[in-house]
Amino acid sequence: MAMGILSTRSSFVFFALVFVALHGLLPSLSNAESEVDHESHFSYIEGTGKGPKKWGLIDPHWRACGTGKLQSPIDLLNERVQVFSNLGKLKRDYKPAPAIVKNRGHDITVMWKGDAGKININGTYYKLQQCHWHSPSEHTFNGSRYDLELHAVHLSSHGEVAVIAIVYKYGRPDPLLTKILEHIKAVGKEDIDLGVINPGIIKFGSRKYFRYIGSLTVPPCTEGVVWTIVNKLRTVSREQVRALREAVHDGYEANSRPTQRSEGRAIRLYTPRDN
């Protein structure tokens, strides 16, 4: 599908936020603050006492989940999005590296154990750490939620996080999931060695992207994350989504956090200039 997820319409608040995030004035993520690796203390189901509305009350370190002003995911609403051609091309420099697939209970994660390359955002390099999936999508577009969302998580040398998100609808199989599908079906408590995986197999399909400052979408919901959402609806097969859902623990099949208040944040859509 060649069209973008949203078609839209610029302010300087965004650059202030990016400057703050990239220079460490917003919280950076140490290893201790990164996404939880075990899901037993939180749930996606409201009414359990551990659902998304309660995350900020479960653990003092998770307070941002309830009181933060830069929380993710959000709805990318036409009226909030402003076209901005000066954000610059998203520069990827990925390379093949050894990887494993890990079942974290609440999601399935591919973790690179070697140097899998990096991205460059505004002169800051972020090294690729891992990717994982949420079904249905976490970010919404004018209120519409899609079938799957991939998060490719990157970390700078100062512990700052940048996530690239790609959204999918049902259709042709996704190349990365095709390559590792049988391993996803087999993974349990023990990680599975995938050998060398080239992250370049993660297809963007468009140079257009949305950019905003948000948070992790699971506890501890740490803020200051630079989000890049590719403006292209890609495809994934029903079998692939089913495998991801069946592999996680009971109660985590639908592992998407509800959208959070945008709190007036700047949301930019990068579109390359016509030559």
Side-chain angles (χ1 to χ4, degrees):
M1 185 173 180
M3 62 178 284
I5 302 170
L6 281 184
S7 55
T8 31
R9 316 182 289 288
S10 271
S11 155
F12 302 99
V13 176
F14 175 76
F15 286 110
L17 283 171
V18 168
F19 181 87
V20 168
L22 299 183
H23 290 77
L25 299 179
L26 284 173
S28 62
L29 296 186
S30 66
N31 289 335
E33 292 174 313
S34 60
E35 293 179 338
V36 290
D37 266 346
H38 196 278
E39 82 291 347
S40 61
H41 298 302
F42 76 95
S43 168
Y44 287 97
I45 303 172
E46 298 293 2
T48 61
K50 302 188 297 182
K53 292 181 180 177
K54 300 290 186 182
W55 288 357
L57 303 175
I58 294 172
D59 185 315
H61 297 99
W62 299 1
R63 193 172 294 116
C65 299
T67 62
K69 302 297 183 184
L70 298 173
Q71 290 293 290
S72 297
I74 60 173
D75 180 46
L76 297 167
L77 186 66
N78 274 56
E79 286 73 19
R80 298 193 193 114
V81 176
Q82 295 176 322
V83 174
F84 212 89
S85 299
N86 294 332
L87 286 176
K89 180 182 176 182
L90 185 60
K91 300 173 183 176
R92 289 187 294 166
D93 183 18
Y94 291 157
K95 53 188 176 181
I100 61 168
V101 62
K102 182 182 187 70
N103 190 336
R104 298 196 293 183
H106 63 280
D107 69 20
I108 300 300
T109 301
V110 171
M111 306 185 76
W112 278 271
K113 293 302 186 179
D115 180 6
K118 58 189 179 295
I119 58 172
N120 181 344
I121 298 178
N122 296 337
T124 297
Y125 289 99
Y126 299 81
K127 295 183 71 171
L128 178 63
Q129 306 294 308
Q130 51 105 330
C131 72
H132 60 267
W133 293 265
H134 296 269
S135 177
S137 71
E138 294 204 298
H139 288 89
T140 59
F141 303 84
N142 291 323
S144 295
R145 195 178 296 275
Y146 291 94
D147 299 304
L148 188 70
E149 184 170 331
L150 175 144
H151 292 166
V153 181
H154 304 71
L155 198 64
S156 79
S157 59
H158 299 294
E160 299 151 343
V161 174
V163 181
I164 298 176
I166 304 172
V167 177
Y168 302 78
K169 68 171 185 175
Y170 288 134
R172 293 186 304 276
D174 171 69
L176 173 59
L177 287 171
T178 295
K179 186 175 182 66
I180 65 173
L181 190 62
E182 295 308 312
H183 298 296
I184 289 173
K185 292 178 178 178
V187 70
K189 291 183 179 179
E190 299 296 324
D191 303 339
I192 295 178
D193 187 354
L194 296 174
V196 173
I197 297 291
N198 184 355
I201 200 172
I202 302 172
K203 303 301 182 185
F204 287 13
S206 175
R207 292 186 296 162
K208 298 179 181 180
Y209 62 80
F210 300 96
R211 174 71 52 74
Y212 78 98
I213 304 299
S215 73
L216 299 178
T217 64
V218 298
C221 308
T222 311
E223 298 184 332
V225 174
V226 181
W227 277 93
T228 302
I229 300 99
V230 178
N231 187 27
K232 172 68 180 288
L233 189 56
R234 298 199 61 82
T235 61
V236 63
S237 72
R238 292 180 183 272
E239 179 191 8
Q240 290 174 334
V241 174
R242 189 182 311 117
L244 289 167
R245 284 179 166 238
E246 290 178 352
V248 296
H249 294 176
D250 289 346
Y252 295 89
E253 296 85 355
N255 60 350
S256 299
R257 186 187 191 190
T259 52
Q260 306 296 299
R261 296 185 301 274
S262 64
E263 302 285 2
R265 273 175 283 178
I267 306 168
R268 299 286 177 263
L269 173 61
Y270 168 71
T271 56
R273 294 183 187 275
D274 293 330
N275 292 327

